Amino acid sequence: MEWLLKLRDALGVIAQVMSVLTMYTMLISVIGFFTTRKYPEAKKFHRYAVLVAARNEEAVIARMVESVRNQAYPSGRLTVFVVADNCTDATALAARRAGAVVYEHQNENERTKGFALRYLVKCIRRDYGIDAFEGYFIFDADNVLKRDYMVRMNDAFDAGEKVVVSFRNSKNLNGSWIAASYALHWLRTCRTEHRGRSILGLSARVQGTGVLFAGELIRDGWNYTSFTEDRAFSADAVVKGYHIAYQDAAEFYDEQPEDMRVALRQRLRWAKGHLQSFTESGGKLLRGVFTKRAAICYDMLWTVVPKGLFLFALRVARLALGLFAGMNAGRLLLDYGKSFATSWVGGVLLAAYVLVMEHRRLQRLPIGKATLDCLLFPVFDLIGLLSSVAALFVKVEWKPIPHRIDRSMEEMENSVEDKSA
């Protein structure tokens, strides 16, 4: 049985090496605690296209378009394009009435958001030309933007940034613990990942919505149609030499799932998409590590690597090998239980950290609910891990996430603790 123990030790070394190789992310989080990059006021109002892929979003699409039209930005420099994708409701009509340019896409074999965006970009190229707009935004139909959002994003774009992501707030942080967990997930990314990377010159990552990029990135069309088109786009941009910046001052609101069944379905889709992204982009990023873009490719590589899944597999394998080798089962399980408890406490503390640090921008939360949300937040990550395991074996189909919260930007701002922040 000695060879089993040696194999178990070897797997432990692999896990330790992975931890060492990603230890730099701790520095990123520490830097983000103190500061983030700031941009000077722009000298020019650039012309932008706003792209929205909407499937059966009749309840919220008009509010999204309205929030763009109400921006403190020259209205003639913004054009909203909505693709009503395989809709069976009045999404297209609602978007047109709100003032958007609408295209309707009907193709049962093309049902992901990526396919909808590909169709929309084709239509814009045909009717306007890609170069008619200097930059392109992507939003979801349920989003609403703070009135200075475009101004702040334009500051970053005018400073020379080619891809920019923004601060993601939540419409329903005060909803169910599931919605709160989603909100904390996005806040964690902004606070512990994007902020520090913006200072170090590394790339943030696109997360589905709230992104601006230069038209030159899609001169050849939108080519990202997997379950997680955002990760594929991020990796491709980095491989091509682009830097993904973060503008903390630009803020938008996003609706989060409230129901566990919807959350499980979405997390499984994300997990399958993350595996697709790794197989599609991992090799390109690894090759990029040996070029002049070494640091930025190395960092993005660890973003697409399913590290949690690998570490989980190593843990399970080490536990099984230990049991087969005759190690004390009670002691093994106790050690793993301690590790699990430590991870849980770490997740709770991290959730509390982002709530405290960002509280001026967030909806009012009773202390009791905030405490419960923090205590349950590790469940969100556990669901993500189990979804990654399931995604290895389960066939996944893209299904829309229902959105029902129709609130104006004014209503959202009235729900935060300090509107002057």
Side-chain angles (χ1 to χ4, degrees), residues 47-53 61 64-69 71 73 75 77-83 99-103 117 120-121 124 133 135-141 143 145 149-150 209-213:
R47 188 176 184 195
Y48 300 116
V50 177
L51 312 184
V52 184
I61 187 63
M64 194 283 145
V65 177
E66 174 189 273
S67 75
V68 176
R69 292 170 63 84
Q71 288 291 295
Y73 196 87
S75 59
R77 310 298 287 173
L78 298 172
T79 304
V80 184
F81 295 94
V82 174
V83 53
V101 177
V102 180
Y103 295 97
L117 289 172
L120 181 54
V121 169
I124 293 173
F133 305 96
Y136 289 77
F137 285 92
I138 292 178
F139 292 106
D140 289 338
N143 298 161
L145 321 179
Y149 182 91
M150 294 296 179
T209 184
V211 58
L212 163 65
F213 54 87

Side-chain angles (χ1 to χ4, degrees), residues 286-303:
L286 182 60
R287 289 191 293 272
V289 171
F290 301 98
T291 68
K292 63 181 180 180
R293 300 185 297 276
I296 197 170
C297 285
Y298 179 85
D299 183 46
M300 186 58 68
L301 175 62
W302 282 111
T303 296

Side-chain angles (χ1 to χ4, degrees), residues 103-104 118-129:
Y103 295 97
E104 298 185 52
R118 186 176 73 173
Y119 177 79
L120 181 54
V121 169
K122 284 182 179 178
C123 292
I124 293 173
R125 168 182 287 144
R126 179 193 66 206
D127 296 342
Y128 296 83

